[in-house]
Amino acid sequence: MYLLLDLGNSRCKYLLSDALPVVVVQSSEENELGSWDNQSFNQDFWERQLQRFQSKKLSKVFVSSVAGKERKEWLEAMCQQVLGLTPLFAESTDTYVSEKLRRLSNSYDSPMALGVDRWLAMVGAFELCDTEFVVIDAGTAITTDWVSVAGQHQGGHIVAGGRMLQQSLLGGTGGIAWSASHDGELKGESFGVNTSAAVALGAETMIKGYCGQLMKDIADQAETKAVKLFVTGGDGDFIVTCLQEAMKERQLEYSISYQPHLVLKGLSYWFSLNN
Ligand SMILES: Nc1ncnc2c1ncn2[C@@H]1O[C@H](COP(=O)(O)OP(=O)(O)OP(=O)(O)O)[C@@H](O)[C@H]1O
Ligand SMILES: CC(C)(CO)[C@@H](O)C(=O)NCCC(=O)O
Ligand SMILES: [K+]
């Protein structure tokens, strides 16, 4: 069995699979899919999470991690201790060659500086279509990446996600935190009439505005009309709604594909084909 881990900023997603690459990432007789909250990387908690894989006859552990070097070393030591295996970490590379021998090219001058979750999500999407595409990963951060028909990464965005937008306000201003602590339920429809609602609805509006501008920029700059939009991440469902609204306003008809496990899918291809 292979254990694939997508270690995000707040959650860790895993897939147990008996074969690589994983074409359809879902729970089945052969595959087990799940996730846990990072719990601030509490040692005991993580040991318990990994212990559940001790009975699975693992041969390899493959990891996508956006954490720093120290955290990777910590995870490596824990996998060695609990599972008796040294995990292999995926990296952003200059080029990825697909199953159909098409090339996906990283646009960064230092390819490894591109977040590996972004690269793997692009790899996952690249294996799903041979058109121009955009990947939006709405997790702790929202990242957007645009890839041409020829597989050239055209660049992207990194934006604070919904929860982070709200937390930065609560953390950065004493008055807002105090007022929010005096709120009960969220009150207001699209405009909040207490602090928590004002902050939450403000964050939603920011994200809606971002999606609207993104659709405008894609419509203006895309090479083709057959752009495919791939959406993933914990807030993916909200992003899908926002993109649909934005497309309706502009009479655009791009297809949207919600792929909750795009990073795990990309991780399985990256290790299966290019390593
Ligand atoms: N149970 C949950 N725990 C934490 N966040 C959640 C949960 N359910 C939905 N979310 C939303 O998902 C977002 C986090 O997304 P995701 O689960 O993709 O996290 P992540 O993998 O840590 O993020 P990233 O991919 O940016 O590292 C949060 O902004 C939050 O709004
Ligand atoms: C932006 C995040 C944090 C999103 O998870 C991750 O992709 C990352 O650490 N990226 C490195 C910076 C970059 O992609 O340019
Ligand atoms: K993300």
Side-chain angles (χ1 to χ4, degrees), residues 26-61:
Q26 61 184 21
S27 282
S28 63
E29 263 175 48
E30 300 80 33
N31 296 347
E32 180 188 324
L33 189 61
S35 71
W36 60 77
D37 190 285
N38 288 348
Q39 303 272 352
S40 311
F41 298 98
N42 175 287
Q43 180 90 13
D44 291 344
F45 172 80
W46 271 76
E47 275 175 21
R48 281 200 302 281
Q49 300 310 311
L50 293 180
Q51 274 162 4
R52 74 170 94 169
F53 305 121
Q54 282 173 336
S55 62
K56 302 290 182 185
K57 300 204 179 79
L58 295 181
S59 58
K60 291 265 173 31
V61 181

mmCIF file of all heavy atoms in Angstrom, residues 26-61:
data_model
loop_
_atom_site.group_PDB
_atom_site.id
_atom_site.type_symbol
_atom_site.label_atom_id
_atom_site.label_comp_id
_atom_site.label_asym_id
_atom_site.label_seq_id
_atom_site.Cartn_x
_atom_site.Cartn_y
_atom_site.Cartn_z
ATOM 1 N N GLN A 26 -11.002 8.603 -4.640
ATOM 2 C CA GLN A 26 -12.220 8.418 -3.832
ATOM 3 C C GLN A 26 -12.031 7.193 -2.938
ATOM 4 O O GLN A 26 -11.161 6.354 -3.193
ATOM 5 C CB GLN A 26 -13.442 8.224 -4.740
ATOM 6 C CG GLN A 26 -13.327 7.004 -5.626
ATOM 7 C CD GLN A 26 -14.504 6.857 -6.591
ATOM 8 O OE1 GLN A 26 -15.197 7.818 -6.884
ATOM 9 N NE2 GLN A 26 -14.719 5.654 -7.073
ATOM 10 N N SER A 27 -12.870 7.090 -1.906
ATOM 11 C CA SER A 27 -12.819 5.903 -1.061
ATOM 12 C C SER A 27 -13.431 4.741 -1.824
ATOM 13 O O SER A 27 -14.437 4.897 -2.503
ATOM 14 C CB SER A 27 -13.612 6.131 0.224
ATOM 15 O OG SER A 27 -12.860 6.909 1.105
ATOM 16 N N SER A 28 -12.786 3.602 -1.734
ATOM 17 C CA SER A 28 -13.306 2.413 -2.419
ATOM 18 C C SER A 28 -12.779 1.210 -1.648
ATOM 19 O O SER A 28 -12.163 1.370 -0.597
ATOM 20 C CB SER A 28 -12.791 2.374 -3.855
ATOM 21 O OG SER A 28 -11.377 2.249 -3.833
ATOM 22 N N GLU A 29 -12.983 0.007 -2.190
ATOM 23 C CA GLU A 29 -12.452 -1.170 -1.507
ATOM 24 C C GLU A 29 -10.926 -1.106 -1.415
ATOM 25 O O GLU A 29 -10.334 -1.530 -0.442
ATOM 26 C CB GLU A 29 -12.879 -2.438 -2.235
ATOM 27 C CG GLU A 29 -14.101 -3.063 -1.588
ATOM 28 C CD GLU A 29 -14.603 -4.247 -2.377
ATOM 29 O OE1 GLU A 29 -13.776 -5.099 -2.739
ATOM 30 O OE2 GLU A 29 -15.811 -4.300 -2.632
ATOM 31 N N GLU A 30 -10.302 -0.579 -2.468
ATOM 32 C CA GLU A 30 -8.832 -0.523 -2.501
ATOM 33 C C GLU A 30 -8.286 0.733 -1.826
ATOM 34 O O GLU A 30 -7.187 0.718 -1.288
ATOM 35 C CB GLU A 30 -8.307 -0.544 -3.948
ATOM 36 C CG GLU A 30 -8.680 -1.763 -4.764
ATOM 37 C CD GLU A 30 -10.091 -1.675 -5.319
ATOM 38 O OE1 GLU A 30 -10.528 -0.550 -5.629
ATOM 39 O OE2 GLU A 30 -10.769 -2.709 -5.411
ATOM 40 N N ASN A 31 -9.040 1.829 -1.922
ATOM 41 C CA ASN A 31 -8.526 3.119 -1.476
ATOM 42 C C ASN A 31 -9.282 3.666 -0.270
ATOM 43 O O ASN A 31 -10.496 3.573 -0.213
ATOM 44 C CB ASN A 31 -8.636 4.154 -2.596
ATOM 45 C CG ASN A 31 -7.764 3.803 -3.787
ATOM 46 O OD1 ASN A 31 -6.901 2.940 -3.700
ATOM 47 N ND2 ASN A 31 -7.987 4.463 -4.885
ATOM 48 N N GLU A 32 -8.526 4.257 0.660
ATOM 49 C CA GLU A 32 -9.170 4.909 1.809
ATOM 50 C C GLU A 32 -8.753 6.374 1.804
ATOM 51 O O GLU A 32 -7.578 6.698 1.659
ATOM 52 C CB GLU A 32 -8.707 4.215 3.094
ATOM 53 C CG GLU A 32 -9.315 4.794 4.352
ATOM 54 C CD GLU A 32 -8.671 4.204 5.616
ATOM 55 O OE1 GLU A 32 -8.312 2.997 5.622
ATOM 56 O OE2 GLU A 32 -8.495 4.961 6.576
ATOM 57 N N LEU A 33 -9.739 7.233 1.954
ATOM 58 C CA LEU A 33 -9.516 8.670 1.871
ATOM 59 C C LEU A 33 -9.956 9.298 3.186
ATOM 60 O O LEU A 33 -10.987 8.902 3.732
ATOM 61 C CB LEU A 33 -10.410 9.163 0.727
ATOM 62 C CG LEU A 33 -10.309 10.569 0.187
ATOM 63 C CD1 LEU A 33 -8.930 10.832 -0.382
ATOM 64 C CD2 LEU A 33 -11.371 10.746 -0.904
ATOM 65 N N GLY A 34 -9.197 10.248 3.703
ATOM 66 C CA GLY A 34 -9.626 10.899 4.944
ATOM 67 C C GLY A 34 -8.831 12.164 5.205
ATOM 68 O O GLY A 34 -7.999 12.568 4.379
ATOM 69 N N SER A 35 -9.062 12.799 6.345
ATOM 70 C CA SER A 35 -8.324 14.018 6.692
ATOM 71 C C SER A 35 -8.373 14.240 8.194
ATOM 72 O O SER A 35 -9.205 13.654 8.881
ATOM 73 C CB SER A 35 -8.936 15.226 5.982
ATOM 74 O OG SER A 35 -10.187 15.552 6.543
ATOM 75 N N TRP A 36 -7.473 15.039 8.685
ATOM 76 C CA TRP A 36 -7.552 15.484 10.082
ATOM 77 C C TRP A 36 -7.046 16.918 10.165
ATOM 78 O O TRP A 36 -6.283 17.373 9.316
ATOM 79 C CB TRP A 36 -6.768 14.558 11.019
ATOM 80 C CG TRP A 36 -5.296 14.431 10.756
ATOM 81 C CD1 TRP A 36 -4.326 15.345 11.076
ATOM 82 C CD2 TRP A 36 -4.626 13.334 10.117
ATOM 83 N NE1 TRP A 36 -3.098 14.868 10.683
ATOM 84 C CE2 TRP A 36 -3.239 13.637 10.102
ATOM 85 C CE3 TRP A 36 -5.044 12.114 9.595
ATOM 86 C CZ2 TRP A 36 -2.282 12.783 9.550
ATOM 87 C CZ3 TRP A 36 -4.082 11.271 9.044
ATOM 88 C CH2 TRP A 36 -2.729 11.602 9.028
ATOM 89 N N ASP A 37 -7.496 17.600 11.211
ATOM 90 C CA ASP A 37 -7.043 18.956 11.472
ATOM 91 C C ASP A 37 -5.598 18.882 11.974
ATOM 92 O O ASP A 37 -5.263 17.960 12.722
ATOM 93 C CB ASP A 37 -7.957 19.565 12.545
ATOM 94 C CG ASP A 37 -7.725 21.045 12.712
ATOM 95 O OD1 ASP A 37 -6.694 21.423 13.319
ATOM 96 O OD2 ASP A 37 -8.570 21.813 12.241
ATOM 97 N N ASN A 38 -4.745 19.818 11.594
ATOM 98 C CA ASN A 38 -3.335 19.739 12.007
ATOM 99 C C ASN A 38 -3.134 19.855 13.521
ATOM 100 O O ASN A 38 -2.082 19.454 14.021
ATOM 101 C CB ASN A 38 -2.508 20.829 11.308
ATOM 102 C CG ASN A 38 -2.309 20.527 9.840
ATOM 103 O OD1 ASN A 38 -2.584 19.419 9.375
ATOM 104 N ND2 ASN A 38 -1.838 21.508 9.081
ATOM 105 N N GLN A 39 -4.112 20.386 14.241
ATOM 106 C CA GLN A 39 -4.039 20.508 15.711
ATOM 107 C C GLN A 39 -2.703 21.105 16.168
ATOM 108 O O GLN A 39 -2.080 20.599 17.113
ATOM 109 C CB GLN A 39 -4.216 19.122 16.378
ATOM 110 C CG GLN A 39 -5.490 18.401 16.010
ATOM 111 C CD GLN A 39 -6.657 18.782 16.929
ATOM 112 O OE1 GLN A 39 -6.462 19.478 17.919
ATOM 113 N NE2 GLN A 39 -7.849 18.345 16.601
ATOM 114 N N SER A 40 -2.271 22.165 15.492
ATOM 115 C CA SER A 40 -0.993 22.826 15.811
ATOM 116 C C SER A 40 0.169 21.831 15.921
ATOM 117 O O SER A 40 1.104 22.048 16.682
ATOM 118 C CB SER A 40 -1.091 23.622 17.113
ATOM 119 O OG SER A 40 -2.226 24.438 17.093
ATOM 120 N N PHE A 41 0.103 20.769 15.171
ATOM 121 C CA PHE A 41 1.168 19.749 15.122
ATOM 122 C C PHE A 41 1.496 19.170 16.499
ATOM 123 O O PHE A 41 2.657 18.945 16.838
ATOM 124 C CB PHE A 41 2.417 20.301 14.417
ATOM 125 C CG PHE A 41 2.140 20.683 12.996
ATOM 126 C CD1 PHE A 41 1.887 22.006 12.651
ATOM 127 C CD2 PHE A 41 2.074 19.719 12.007
ATOM 128 C CE1 PHE A 41 1.586 22.354 11.344
ATOM 129 C CE2 PHE A 41 1.770 20.066 10.697
ATOM 130 C CZ PHE A 41 1.534 21.386 10.365
ATOM 131 N N ASN A 42 0.466 18.914 17.249
ATOM 132 C CA ASN A 42 0.632 18.258 18.552
ATOM 133 C C ASN A 42 1.186 16.843 18.345
ATOM 134 O O ASN A 42 0.618 16.041 17.609
ATOM 135 C CB ASN A 42 -0.744 18.220 19.246
ATOM 136 C CG ASN A 42 -0.714 17.462 20.546
ATOM 137 O OD1 ASN A 42 -0.630 16.237 20.555
ATOM 138 N ND2 ASN A 42 -0.780 18.189 21.636
ATOM 139 N N GLN A 43 2.295 16.568 19.014
ATOM 140 C CA GLN A 43 3.035 15.314 18.809
ATOM 141 C C GLN A 43 2.172 14.070 19.062
ATOM 142 O O GLN A 43 2.096 13.172 18.218
ATOM 143 C CB GLN A 43 4.252 15.322 19.756
ATOM 144 C CG GLN A 43 5.134 14.099 19.672
ATOM 145 C CD GLN A 43 6.244 14.273 18.632
ATOM 146 O OE1 GLN A 43 6.484 15.388 18.162
ATOM 147 N NE2 GLN A 43 6.897 13.189 18.254
ATOM 148 N N ASP A 44 1.505 14.040 20.218
ATOM 149 C CA ASP A 44 0.697 12.862 20.589
ATOM 150 C C ASP A 44 -0.433 12.651 19.594
ATOM 151 O O ASP A 44 -0.719 11.530 19.182
ATOM 152 C CB ASP A 44 0.090 13.023 21.990
ATOM 153 C CG ASP A 44 1.157 12.978 23.059
ATOM 154 O OD1 ASP A 44 2.273 12.518 22.736
ATOM 155 O OD2 ASP A 44 0.879 13.421 24.192
ATOM 156 N N PHE A 45 -1.077 13.746 19.242
ATOM 157 C CA PHE A 45 -2.195 13.668 18.300
ATOM 158 C C PHE A 45 -1.718 13.097 16.958
ATOM 159 O O PHE A 45 -2.339 12.180 16.385
ATOM 160 C CB PHE A 45 -2.807 15.070 18.105
ATOM 161 C CG PHE A 45 -3.827 15.120 17.005
ATOM 162 C CD1 PHE A 45 -5.124 14.675 17.239
ATOM 163 C CD2 PHE A 45 -3.500 15.601 15.738
ATOM 164 C CE1 PHE A 45 -6.070 14.709 16.219
ATOM 165 C CE2 PHE A 45 -4.437 15.634 14.723
ATOM 166 C CZ PHE A 45 -5.730 15.189 14.969
ATOM 167 N N TRP A 46 -0.587 13.582 16.460
ATOM 168 C CA TRP A 46 -0.078 13.104 15.167
ATOM 169 C C TRP A 46 0.350 11.644 15.223
ATOM 170 O O TRP A 46 0.139 10.891 14.283
ATOM 171 C CB TRP A 46 1.053 14.022 14.681
ATOM 172 C CG TRP A 46 0.490 15.150 13.883
ATOM 173 C CD1 TRP A 46 -0.149 16.257 14.369
ATOM 174 C CD2 TRP A 46 0.458 15.261 12.456
ATOM 175 N NE1 TRP A 46 -0.570 17.048 13.339
ATOM 176 C CE2 TRP A 46 -0.203 16.481 12.151
ATOM 177 C CE3 TRP A 46 0.943 14.484 11.405
ATOM 178 C CZ2 TRP A 46 -0.403 16.913 10.841
ATOM 179 C CZ3 TRP A 46 0.749 14.925 10.092
ATOM 180 C CH2 TRP A 46 0.083 16.118 9.824
ATOM 181 N N GLU A 47 0.946 11.256 16.348
ATOM 182 C CA GLU A 47 1.336 9.849 16.496
ATOM 183 C C GLU A 47 0.111 8.955 16.391
ATOM 184 O O GLU A 47 0.123 7.936 15.706
ATOM 185 C CB GLU A 47 2.054 9.633 17.832
ATOM 186 C CG GLU A 47 3.543 9.939 17.732
ATOM 187 C CD GLU A 47 4.240 9.840 19.083
ATOM 188 O OE1 GLU A 47 3.700 9.181 19.997
ATOM 189 O OE2 GLU A 47 5.313 10.449 19.203
ATOM 190 N N ARG A 48 -0.961 9.386 17.060
ATOM 191 C CA ARG A 48 -2.202 8.583 17.006
ATOM 192 C C ARG A 48 -2.751 8.521 15.578
ATOM 193 O O ARG A 48 -3.224 7.484 15.132
ATOM 194 C CB ARG A 48 -3.271 9.177 17.945
ATOM 195 C CG ARG A 48 -3.059 8.818 19.406
ATOM 196 C CD ARG A 48 -4.354 8.996 20.194
ATOM 197 N NE ARG A 48 -4.881 10.362 20.123
ATOM 198 C CZ ARG A 48 -4.432 11.396 20.846
ATOM 199 N NH1 ARG A 48 -3.440 11.216 21.692
ATOM 200 N NH2 ARG A 48 -4.972 12.591 20.734
ATOM 201 N N GLN A 49 -2.681 9.637 14.847
ATOM 202 C CA GLN A 49 -3.191 9.627 13.463
ATOM 203 C C GLN A 49 -2.389 8.637 12.604
ATOM 204 O O GLN A 49 -2.949 7.886 11.816
ATOM 205 C CB GLN A 49 -3.119 11.020 12.829
ATOM 206 C CG GLN A 49 -3.925 12.096 13.537
ATOM 207 C CD GLN A 49 -5.355 11.671 13.800
ATOM 208 O OE1 GLN A 49 -6.055 11.176 12.912
ATOM 209 N NE2 GLN A 49 -5.790 11.834 15.041
ATOM 210 N N LEU A 50 -1.071 8.662 12.783
ATOM 211 C CA LEU A 50 -0.230 7.796 11.933
ATOM 212 C C LEU A 50 -0.303 6.332 12.351
ATOM 213 O O LEU A 50 -0.143 5.438 11.522
ATOM 214 C CB LEU A 50 1.226 8.285 11.934
ATOM 215 C CG LEU A 50 1.471 9.641 11.260
ATOM 216 C CD1 LEU A 50 2.953 10.016 11.333
ATOM 217 C CD2 LEU A 50 1.022 9.647 9.801
ATOM 218 N N GLN A 51 -0.584 6.103 13.638
ATOM 219 C CA GLN A 51 -0.640 4.710 14.132
ATOM 220 C C GLN A 51 -1.709 3.901 13.392
ATOM 221 O O GLN A 51 -1.582 2.699 13.235
ATOM 222 C CB GLN A 51 -0.901 4.685 15.638
ATOM 223 C CG GLN A 51 0.402 4.811 16.435
ATOM 224 C CD GLN A 51 0.148 5.230 17.880
ATOM 225 O OE1 GLN A 51 -0.998 5.352 18.308
ATOM 226 N NE2 GLN A 51 1.235 5.461 18.615
ATOM 227 N N ARG A 52 -2.758 4.563 12.930
ATOM 228 C CA ARG A 52 -3.833 3.831 12.253
ATOM 229 C C ARG A 52 -3.341 3.183 10.951
ATOM 230 O O ARG A 52 -3.988 2.322 10.389
ATOM 231 C CB ARG A 52 -5.018 4.751 11.976
ATOM 232 C CG ARG A 52 -4.774 5.732 10.856
ATOM 233 C CD ARG A 52 -6.037 6.435 10.455
ATOM 234 N NE ARG A 52 -6.179 7.700 11.169
ATOM 235 C CZ ARG A 52 -7.082 8.626 10.860
ATOM 236 N NH1 ARG A 52 -7.938 8.393 9.901
ATOM 237 N NH2 ARG A 52 -7.136 9.760 11.517
ATOM 238 N N PHE A 53 -2.169 3.634 10.451
ATOM 239 C CA PHE A 53 -1.650 3.057 9.203
ATOM 240 C C PHE A 53 -0.662 1.918 9.465
ATOM 241 O O PHE A 53 -0.147 1.320 8.528
ATOM 242 C CB PHE A 53 -0.978 4.142 8.341
ATOM 243 C CG PHE A 53 -1.873 5.314 8.053
ATOM 244 C CD1 PHE A 53 -1.515 6.602 8.430
ATOM 245 C CD2 PHE A 53 -3.087 5.132 7.395
ATOM 246 C CE1 PHE A 53 -2.348 7.683 8.163
ATOM 247 C CE2 PHE A 53 -3.933 6.210 7.122
ATOM 248 C CZ PHE A 53 -3.549 7.491 7.519
ATOM 249 N N GLN A 54 -0.397 1.640 10.742
ATOM 250 C CA GLN A 54 0.612 0.614 11.066
ATOM 251 C C GLN A 54 0.219 -0.757 10.533
ATOM 252 O O GLN A 54 1.071 -1.561 10.190
ATOM 253 C CB GLN A 54 0.828 0.546 12.585
ATOM 254 C CG GLN A 54 1.707 1.660 13.112
ATOM 255 C CD GLN A 54 1.782 1.677 14.627
ATOM 256 O OE1 GLN A 54 0.883 1.182 15.305
ATOM 257 N NE2 GLN A 54 2.845 2.247 15.169
ATOM 258 N N SER A 55 -1.074 -1.020 10.458
ATOM 259 C CA SER A 55 -1.545 -2.350 10.029
ATOM 260 C C SER A 55 -1.704 -2.459 8.518
ATOM 261 O O SER A 55 -2.164 -3.480 8.015
ATOM 262 C CB SER A 55 -2.893 -2.617 10.691
ATOM 263 O OG SER A 55 -3.810 -1.637 10.255
ATOM 264 N N LYS A 56 -1.335 -1.404 7.771
ATOM 265 C CA LYS A 56 -1.692 -1.355 6.345
ATOM 266 C C LYS A 56 -0.620 -1.875 5.380
ATOM 267 O O LYS A 56 -0.743 -1.704 4.174
ATOM 268 C CB LYS A 56 -2.054 0.081 5.947
ATOM 269 C CG LYS A 56 -3.186 0.670 6.736
ATOM 270 C CD LYS A 56 -4.512 0.015 6.379
ATOM 271 C CE LYS A 56 -5.642 0.672 7.156
ATOM 272 N NZ LYS A 56 -6.932 0.033 6.951
ATOM 273 N N LYS A 57 0.441 -2.446 5.876
ATOM 274 C CA LYS A 57 1.518 -2.949 5.004
ATOM 275 C C LYS A 57 1.984 -1.892 3.999
ATOM 276 O O LYS A 57 1.988 -2.101 2.792
ATOM 277 C CB LYS A 57 1.046 -4.197 4.230
ATOM 278 C CG LYS A 57 0.623 -5.347 5.131
ATOM 279 C CD LYS A 57 0.749 -6.681 4.368
ATOM 280 C CE LYS A 57 0.369 -7.867 5.221
ATOM 281 N NZ LYS A 57 -1.104 -8.048 5.326
ATOM 282 N N LEU A 58 2.381 -0.734 4.533
ATOM 283 C CA LEU A 58 2.814 0.361 3.663
ATOM 284 C C LEU A 58 4.178 0.062 3.073
ATOM 285 O O LEU A 58 5.065 -0.442 3.764
ATOM 286 C CB LEU A 58 2.904 1.666 4.460
ATOM 287 C CG LEU A 58 1.621 2.240 5.034
ATOM 288 C CD1 LEU A 58 1.926 3.547 5.767
ATOM 289 C CD2 LEU A 58 0.587 2.483 3.940
ATOM 290 N N SER A 59 4.348 0.424 1.776
ATOM 291 C CA SER A 59 5.679 0.302 1.193
ATOM 292 C C SER A 59 6.309 1.675 0.977
ATOM 293 O O SER A 59 7.529 1.806 0.956
ATOM 294 C CB SER A 59 5.619 -0.459 -0.134
ATOM 295 O OG SER A 59 4.762 0.198 -1.018
ATOM 296 N N LYS A 60 5.482 2.713 0.816
ATOM 297 C CA LYS A 60 6.004 4.070 0.589
ATOM 298 C C LYS A 60 5.061 5.099 1.200
ATOM 299 O O LYS A 60 3.844 4.885 1.233
ATOM 300 C CB LYS A 60 6.092 4.364 -0.919
ATOM 301 C CG LYS A 60 7.151 3.565 -1.674
ATOM 302 C CD LYS A 60 8.409 4.379 -1.773
ATOM 303 C CE LYS A 60 9.624 3.706 -2.351
ATOM 304 N NZ LYS A 60 9.546 2.689 -3.320
ATOM 305 N N VAL A 61 5.634 6.211 1.644
ATOM 306 C CA VAL A 61 4.824 7.353 2.066
ATOM 307 C C VAL A 61 5.229 8.545 1.201
ATOM 308 O O VAL A 61 6.407 8.904 1.143
ATOM 309 C CB VAL A 61 5.058 7.698 3.567
ATOM 310 C CG1 VAL A 61 4.195 8.884 3.988
ATOM 311 C CG2 VAL A 61 4.768 6.492 4.458
#
